[in-house]
Amino acid sequence: MERQLSDLQEENHRLRELVQRKGQGASPAVCGYLLKHRPYATMSSHWSKRWFCLNGSSLTYYRKEQDTSQHPRGLIDIRGMIVECEGLKQRKFHTFNILDPRSGFSLIRGSCQEEDTFKRWIQALELNGCSVRQGASMDNTRDPPAASDVRWREQGPEQAPEHVAAAAFQPTSAHERSSAGDTAASSEPDYTSESGTSDTSSSMHATRGLGSSPAPHKPGKHSHPGPMLPSAPVHTECRSSPLSGDRFMHDAKHSGILTLMVVVLVCTNLRLILENFMKYGWLVNPAQWMAIITISGNWHLHSCWAVLGLCTLMAYWLEVLSAKVVMTQQTAIMAAGKKDLSPALLRKRVQQHGLWPERFTNLMVRLNLAVVFLWPSYTVFHTNEEAAYCGIIMMITVVHFMKLVSYSHANQDYRLARRQGKVRPGERGSHDPYLGFSNVRYPENITLQNLGHFLLAPTLCYQAHYPKSSRFRVRWLFRRMLQLLVTIGAMLFIVEQYITPTVKNSIAPISESDWPRIIERVLKLALPCLYGWLCMFAALFHLWLNVVAELTHFGDREFYKAWWDSKTVGEYWRLWNMPVHKWMLRHVYYPTIRVGANKLMAGLLVFFLSAVGHELLVGLPLHVGLWNPELWSTGDILRFWGRGSVQWPYAFFGLMSQVPMMWCTEWLYQKVQSKIAGNVIFWVSFCIIGTTVPRQVEMAALLN
């Protein structure tokens, strides 16, 4: 604990020095273009030209020289680090590697073509706190290194310490490097930069000579004292078996076991794919996928977009009028406050004068939200159009409804704080250390630009100001959009090729109540349902929301947490969908507790509203179960059993069934008291009951 505290104090002192040096505006000691190694690059070269600046012990780099006025792409404190000179690569690139001596991690790896530039950088790094270690020979850098002297390998995808800006693992011990002559030539990386060459700045400052002694020689892979003697001891300490309980989960690395699991999984899925094609043939028709984006000619459905737009303008106008009322009241009362009135009496008068205007505003807001919710729902219910287009309308309607609720609720709280003379966290002047980025204060946030940014941003919770990203990545955005298209295609392929025929074959066992066959169908459907659900999660939460965040410069991109490590179903619901979880906490759960309800009632209300939303997103566009128009027209909706099948809101009861599942998994976890066992219980309940059974019931009802 004391060591961690000292490390934090040292890091705090270092950051303060960096801020002071940056504030003084001192010119960098060395700057220029170098080739930086990017170990995780996939669709481009691993070496890219970057503009580096060394200011004291602070090494920063930018995409280009013109970006120095912006936030750097990486920052490293080189004080106490090791510079390993790797020598000449491909007969023209002088390469060096900056290592952390405590962990052995590679902080950054650079290269350049000019020998003078290389020596200047090494000199500058050494003079500013680095120790130089000789890798390949630097005396004969004009000639290619001998194959037997090349001892290096590329960086691997390990995670560096938190203070490292560019993380990549680089082993430093000699026995972890390859010294074979054939592998040295074959493992050379591509040193081609984005522009093909590397430049240096004309303002590069000359420094003194290296003056560093080579590091002591360490025994390599082939260095050993000699043949083993007949009396050499081979049992020197007490050791456990690699698969024993005290060593399996803590000390040993089991990459081979993970590789075996991957091989078994691939072979099993290949067998299932071949079995499916032999039984059903090719069922996928990509031409039908275009029906998802086909725009209907029904003007009733198109009217939903106009209604949503008008309701959005109405919500904005209501907030503008409410803000003007607040400002007018405060001006009048502050004028009256020049009399002999106490501050407490002034605040009381402000609240009294704002009581009736606030009630009128709340009434109009509720009417506006009712129109947003009911008009599209009624239109979709009475329209027999393509389910995909109706589903898109209902999805946007639900999201828009939640956003307008948050917009009105948050601004109401801002108005209350303004009448009380307070400042909410996130406003200008709040002095909140975590929300100090705000530069607005109510009612300055009531603008069309602010509302438009909130409606486009990947969040459901409104606030006056959001953290913004510092740059826009075009290539990153292109890769994410390409991955999004591939993931959506994979999800549609799984649904048509695997889930649909399996559900069709499940209708007869369900109608005959053949429980052994029903269980067999559920287990067979578990794997494709899981794959389809994972594709949906990756497409929506990881790819689509990140694409929208990049387009809107939205900084907070924690759209999900590590839900795959959940120990109970309840923990999963708190981690997998962070936008909805935060909205429910902010506008449903805690307001319900503030009016006097207990936590159980507040939690049940959260799940009830979530179940209603899922029913509107799934059951209403598909017109299944309770939402079949024929049942309402013939009067069969009054009967619980209709036309041989149960007519009920499938998605609603499917989600409400998660509540007893939460209690059961929580009870089991309390019994076993093991994170691994709890995670196993979660995955079993999630894969078989949580995703398979509700999907099978919904699709069976749809096929009926």
Side-chain angles (χ1 to χ4, degrees), residues 78-245:
I78 64 171
R79 183 171 45 192
M81 303 302 167
I82 297 175
V83 180
E84 184 181 47
C85 302
E86 299 183 358
L88 195 63
K89 304 296 182 183
Q90 292 190 351
R91 300 187 179 183
K92 60 179 179 180
F93 292 102
H94 302 270
T95 310
F96 65 91
N97 195 5
I98 301 179
L99 305 172
D100 187 348
R102 294 171 295 180
S103 60
F105 286 105
S106 172
L107 306 184
I108 201 167
R109 194 177 180 206
S111 177
C112 62
Q113 286 186 320
E114 293 79 8
E115 182 180 3
D116 294 339
T117 302
F118 174 72
K119 290 186 177 180
R120 291 193 189 104
W121 275 101
I122 297 300
Q123 291 170 351
L125 292 172
E126 183 182 15
L127 291 175
N128 285 279
C130 285
S131 59
V132 177
R133 172 190 296 175
Q134 303 297 331
S137 176
M138 290 186 58
D139 298 332
N140 300 322
T141 53
R142 293 291 184 181
D143 301 328
S148 60
D149 293 335
V150 178
R151 296 180 179 178
W152 65 282
R153 69 184 181 95
E154 292 190 61
Q155 301 172 357
E158 297 289 342
Q159 186 178 2
E162 296 180 357
H163 67 278
V164 178
F169 179 72
Q170 178 85 5
T172 57
S173 60
H175 70 276
E176 292 180 349
R177 306 183 180 197
S178 173
S179 60
D182 296 336
T183 58
S186 62
S187 59
E188 284 288 336
D190 181 14
Y191 278 76
T192 305
S193 66
E194 297 176 52
S195 60
T197 59
S198 62
D199 284 336
T200 55
S201 173
S202 58
S203 61
M204 186 80 71
H205 299 285
T207 52
R208 292 178 293 178
L210 291 174
S212 62
S213 58
H217 173 71
K218 294 183 179 180
K221 179 179 178 181
H222 301 288
S223 300
H224 52 80
M228 181 182 292
L229 297 176
S231 60
V234 294
H235 303 287
T236 57
E237 59 179 327
C238 298
R239 289 184 287 259
S240 302
S241 300
L243 295 180
S244 59

Side-chain angles (χ1 to χ4, degrees), residues 5 47 66 72 74 80 91 94 99 134 148 271 307 377 394 415 442 477 532 547-548 567 599 609 640 643 682 685 699:
L5 182 60
W47 292 86
Q66 292 77 9
R91 300 187 179 183
H94 302 270
L99 305 172
Q134 303 297 331
S148 60
R271 187 196 64 81
V307 170
S377 302
M394 291 309 304
R415 290 195 299 272
Y442 184 85
L477 180 65
V547 166
V548 176
K567 301 177 289 296
K599 293 184 179 181
L609 295 179
F640 190 72
R643 296 186 303 174
F682 157 72
S685 59
M699 295 195 68

Side-chain angles (χ1 to χ4, degrees), residues 101 124 186 232 249 258 272 425 595 668:
S186 62
M249 299 302 299
L258 295 179
L272 294 176
V595 298
L668 289 174

Side-chain angles (χ1 to χ4, degrees), residues 50-64:
R50 296 289 182 259
W51 178 263
F52 281 80
C53 294
L54 179 61
N55 189 357
S57 62
S58 176
L59 177 64
T60 58
Y61 64 90
Y62 306 84
R63 186 178 184 86
K64 51 188 176 180

Side-chain angles (χ1 to χ4, degrees), residues 398-511:
V398 172
V399 171
H400 206 74
F401 175 80
M402 297 174 73
K403 282 178 176 282
L404 292 183
V405 168
S406 180
Y407 184 72
S408 302
H409 200 181
N411 282 305
Q412 180 186 14
D413 190 58
Y414 285 141
R415 290 195 299 272
L416 178 62
R418 192 61 182 267
R419 288 192 174 100
Q420 295 176 350
K422 299 178 182 179
V423 179
R424 291 291 188 245
E427 291 187 283
R428 186 180 64 249
S430 61
H431 304 293
D432 195 304
Y434 301 103
L435 297 172
F437 50 80
S438 179
N439 55 1
V440 296
R441 183 179 178 183
Y442 184 85
E444 299 170 2
N445 61 306
I446 307 299
T447 61
L448 281 176
Q449 181 181 3
N450 184 275
L451 176 59
H453 179 265
F454 167 61
L455 294 178
L456 295 177
T459 180
L460 299 175
C461 295
Y462 175 78
Q463 58 191 57
H465 190 78
Y466 294 98
K468 294 184 178 181
S469 56
S470 59
R471 55 194 178 93
F472 181 76
R473 300 168 290 181
V474 179
R475 291 190 299 175
W476 183 91
L477 180 65
F478 175 77
R479 290 197 298 268
R480 292 297 178 271
M481 294 181 68
L482 182 62
Q483 293 172 1
L484 177 62
L485 294 177
V486 173
T487 307
I488 293 177
M491 181 175 62
L492 296 176
F493 175 83
I494 292 172
V495 171
E496 291 191 18
Q497 188 69 36
Y498 293 94
I499 298 180
T500 302
T502 306
V503 172
K504 287 182 178 179
N505 295 333
S506 303
I507 295 177
I510 293 176
S511 59

Side-chain angles (χ1 to χ4, degrees), residues 6 8 155 219 244 308 330 332 358 389 440 509 525 537 608 613 618 677:
S6 62
L8 290 175
Q155 301 172 357
S244 59
L308 292 179
Q330 283 195 334
E358 193 65 34
Y389 187 58
V440 296
L525 197 62
F537 170 80
F608 176 81
V618 178

